[in-house]
Each structure stands twice: as C-alpha cells, then as structure tokens.
Amino acid sequence: MSKAFVRESDAPELPELPPQVSPLPPGAKNYLTPAGAQRLRDELARLADTERPPLAAAPADDIDAKTRLQVLDQRLRYLQASLRTAEIVPPQEGTPDIVRFGATVTIRENGGAESRYRIVGVDETDLDRNWVSWLSPIARALMQKKVGQRVPFKAPRGQKELEIVAIEYEG
C-alpha cells in the first residue's frame, strides 16, 4: 500500500521515555562554570538546529528515526531545564589561595603520586579529564582548603591523606 494512504495514527506508537533525571539532590544549586554553560548552550543549539530537523521530517513509519527523535527531545528538555536553573559561577579573581568551585587542584598522595582535579558542575563532570562534580566526595574534601594543607579523604580503597600542592582557576 502506498504511504499516501497510511494514516498517521496507523504508525506504531512508541512508549513514553521516563524523564532524564538531574543528578542534583533536591534543593541543591545547579552551579556551572561559564565555559560549561557555553558548552551546554552549544550542544542545545546543535541538537535543535542540526540533528532534530531531519529526524522530525522522517516518515511516520520510520521507527528508528522516531525513537532517535524521542531520545533527542528528551536530551533537549534536559539541557533546557539545566540551563534555566543554572547558576553560572565566574572564575575566581585574584590569588587562588582557597579551593572553590571552578578550581583545578593538584594534590599529592602519601606515596608521592600527584593528581589534578577540576571542580565543576554536575553537568560538566568528565572523569576522563578528572573534572569532578562539586558534590563528589573528593571535591567536598578539598573545598575551602589551602595550598600546603593536608586533607583526610576516605577513598573506596581506604583512608588517604592528600596534600594540596597547587590551586589554579581558568580565566
């Protein structure tokens, strides 16, 4: 049968996706760095302007396209809500003497191994780059500490003591 004779209502219905839930606990502020907010705005624009139109124009019986459109629309709603509730925190000015949101912190463990962590918003977290949420245990242990300070930290493999070696802020 020709597609011209198929009613929109004859197309199979897709099940409703559950909403994409924010990782923020209830009542927590949605902090973002300025660069993180810009990345979310760029993703929103790309998805809405480039990726969504061809999926929305796909034939009603193209289940794969409709499923991808449904997932994409869910992501668009999440990004819109995240940006609507975001509190953008400007970079720290002056001498970076205390660990605050947006800081990149170099720490040294007891054995001498050094690591760097950047404290960012929950929607900016990227563990491959050691960008950790401000709500993460490591970030909570480091917040409000100074260079040279030793910080007790309960890691999954046991208690550690971390020394803060450097604090930097991106401009």
Side-chain angles (χ1 to χ4, degrees), residues 46-73:
R46 180 181 52 79
L47 293 176
D49 300 341
T50 305
E51 293 189 26
R52 191 178 191 289
L55 293 173
D61 62 347
D62 185 346
I63 300 301
D64 186 44
K66 295 303 176 193
T67 301
R68 289 193 319 250
L69 179 62
Q70 191 178 38
V71 170
L72 187 137
D73 283 345

Side-chain angles (χ1 to χ4, degrees), residues 30-162:
N30 184 19
Y31 296 121
L32 286 174
T33 64
Q38 186 60 51
R39 279 190 296 280
L40 293 183
R41 285 191 289 270
D42 292 346
E43 180 184 0
L44 179 66
R46 180 181 52 79
L47 293 176
D49 300 341
T50 305
E51 293 189 26
R52 191 178 191 289
L55 293 173
D61 62 347
D62 185 346
I63 300 301
D64 186 44
K66 295 303 176 193
T67 301
R68 289 193 319 250
L69 179 62
Q70 191 178 38
V71 170
L72 187 137
D73 283 345
Q74 180 185 51
R75 179 68 180 162
L76 287 170
R77 285 189 300 275
Y78 179 84
L79 290 170
Q80 289 166 341
S82 181
L83 287 166
R84 188 174 44 254
T85 62
E87 289 194 31
I88 300 171
V89 179
Q92 180 71 26
E93 293 183 17
T95 306
D97 58 346
I98 295 177
V99 177
R100 292 190 175 92
F101 181 84
T104 299
V105 184
T106 304
I107 55 122
R108 182 179 301 127
E109 295 183 24
N110 292 345
E114 287 190 3
S115 300
R116 289 171 49 95
Y117 295 96
R118 181 155 186 230
I119 301 171
V120 296
V122 295
D123 290 327
E124 301 175 82
T125 301
D126 183 346
L127 298 180
D128 291 335
R129 297 168 75 178
N130 277 353
W131 288 16
V132 297
S133 160
W134 65 277
L135 292 170
S136 68
I138 187 84
R140 289 175 148 211
L142 297 173
M143 294 290 266
Q144 303 303 314
K145 304 299 187 284
K146 296 182 176 189
V147 171
Q149 196 167 354
R150 294 189 177 279
V151 179
F153 175 64
K154 185 178 180 184
R157 294 187 179 142
Q159 189 72 21
K160 293 183 176 187
E161 186 173 77
L162 310 174

